[in-house]
Structures are given as structure tokens and as C-alpha cells.
Amino acid sequence: IRLDFDAYEGWIDNKQYIEILEENYKQLQDSPLKLSLDLVEFIQDTNNQLHPILLGSCLSGLQLLNHTYDGNTTQGQIAKENIITTAFSYLNAPYLWGGKTPFGIDCSGFTQMVYKLNGYKLLRDASQQATQGEALSFIEESEPGDLAF
């Protein structure tokens, strides 16, 4: 599969996806990104089965799938000052190569998720993230939340 959010490619089990119409996909692309703000929460399907989701899970397609969610969400860009506060929510998370959750996370997964939760889109790998944003001439121009490569 290739993720829409950052075009990252990976593998999933055949039981972990539902095929949707291209028209629905385009609607999801045009809709604001809605994310879970709870460490662990559940979505409920039409059979009243609960499915666990983690902090930063995309909830934009819930209506399309007829799933419900009662937890906290974020939508849109948040003030850049909140990046530091969000970063602290990952304090003491164990290192896990390829991880993107507080239960296991790597360096570029950390920056991607912290920025994602604040409404900013970063690519997945650090080498890709280094190509984004603006270069600064002097360290004095940097602000809290800026990334250095």
C-alpha cells in the first residue's frame, strides 16, 4: 500500500483494508484531516465491535465506513507553540525502528507525528523531512519547534 498522507509504502494483511470508490477517496483527500488525540481509544463499527486506535490515528473516513468515535480529536493547524507540548507527550516512549506511537517510535516518526498532531505535514523519513521548510542563515533565527538537520 501507499499512504495518502506521506506517500510512504508498506505492507498490510489482506484483512486490514476495505476497497473504496475513487470518488470517495477524492472526497477524503479534500476533507480536513481529523486525528485522534487520545493515547488509546476505540472506534465502533456497525456490528458494535470495538477497534483500538492510537494517538494520531486519522478519523476522516469514519462517516464513509459508518464507524463512530467518541474521543477527543484535532482538526486543522494549531499554533506552532503547541509543538513543544505535544512533543512532551512522547517522553519516555521506547525507541522502535519504524514506530510512530508512544508505545514505540523512531526519530523521524517522532517529528512526523508531533507535527501531524499540530496540523503540519512532514514526510516520513528524516532525509525527506530535511528537504521541507526554510533554511535559516543564523541559529539566532530559530524558534522552538524548528528542526535542525
Side-chain angles (χ1 to χ4, degrees), residues 1 6 10 20 26 42 49-50 54 64 66 84-85 89 91 106 113 126 128 131-134 145 148:
I1 65 162
D6 58 9
I20 63 172
K26 288 180 180 177
F42 295 89
Q49 289 186 322
L50 298 176
L54 300 176
L64 175 67
N66 294 317
I84 302 301
T85 304
S89 65
L91 194 62
D106 66 15
M113 290 306 296
Q128 297 168 322
T131 66
Q132 295 180 265
E134 301 171 16

Side-chain angles (χ1 to χ4, degrees), residues 5 8 18 20 47 59-60 69 84 87 89 108 115 123 126 131 142:
F5 182 76
Y8 211 71
I18 297 172
I20 63 172
N47 296 321
L59 303 168
S60 302
Y69 176 76
I84 302 301
S89 65
S108 55
Y115 274 77
L123 297 173
T131 66
S142 67

Side-chain angles (χ1 to χ4, degrees), residues 55-75:
L55 176 67
S57 294
C58 180
L59 303 168
S60 302
L62 288 179
Q63 211 170 27
L64 175 67
L65 300 171
N66 294 317
H67 291 168
T68 57
Y69 176 76
D70 293 328
N72 297 311
T73 63
T74 183
Q75 192 170 320

Side-chain angles (χ1 to χ4, degrees), residues 15-117:
K15 297 181 293 287
Q16 293 180 310
Y17 77 94
I18 297 172
E19 197 168 329
I20 63 172
L21 298 173
E22 187 173 349
E23 170 185 316
N24 295 129
Y25 173 71
K26 288 180 180 177
Q27 286 175 333
L28 287 172
Q29 279 186 310
D30 294 338
S31 66
L33 189 61
K34 186 177 178 182
L35 305 172
S36 166
L37 279 179
D38 297 311
L39 181 61
V40 178
E41 196 44 88
F42 295 89
I43 57 173
Q44 189 171 358
D45 66 19
T46 54
N47 296 321
N48 292 323
Q49 289 186 322
L50 298 176
H51 303 273
I53 60 168
L54 300 176
L55 176 67
S57 294
C58 180
L59 303 168
S60 302
L62 288 179
Q63 211 170 27
L64 175 67
L65 300 171
N66 294 317
H67 291 168
T68 57
Y69 176 76
D70 293 328
N72 297 311
T73 63
T74 183
Q75 192 170 320
Q77 207 167 62
I78 300 172
K80 189 177 174 190
E81 295 79 40
N82 289 340
I83 289 174
I84 302 301
T85 304
T86 304
F88 277 116
S89 65
Y90 288 90
L91 194 62
N92 296 317
Y95 179 82
L96 176 65
W97 182 78
K100 292 178 24 171
T101 77
F103 299 106
I105 196 160
D106 66 15
C107 58
S108 55
F110 169 72
T111 52
Q112 185 186 48
M113 290 306 296
V114 167
Y115 274 77
K116 180 181 179 182
L117 286 163

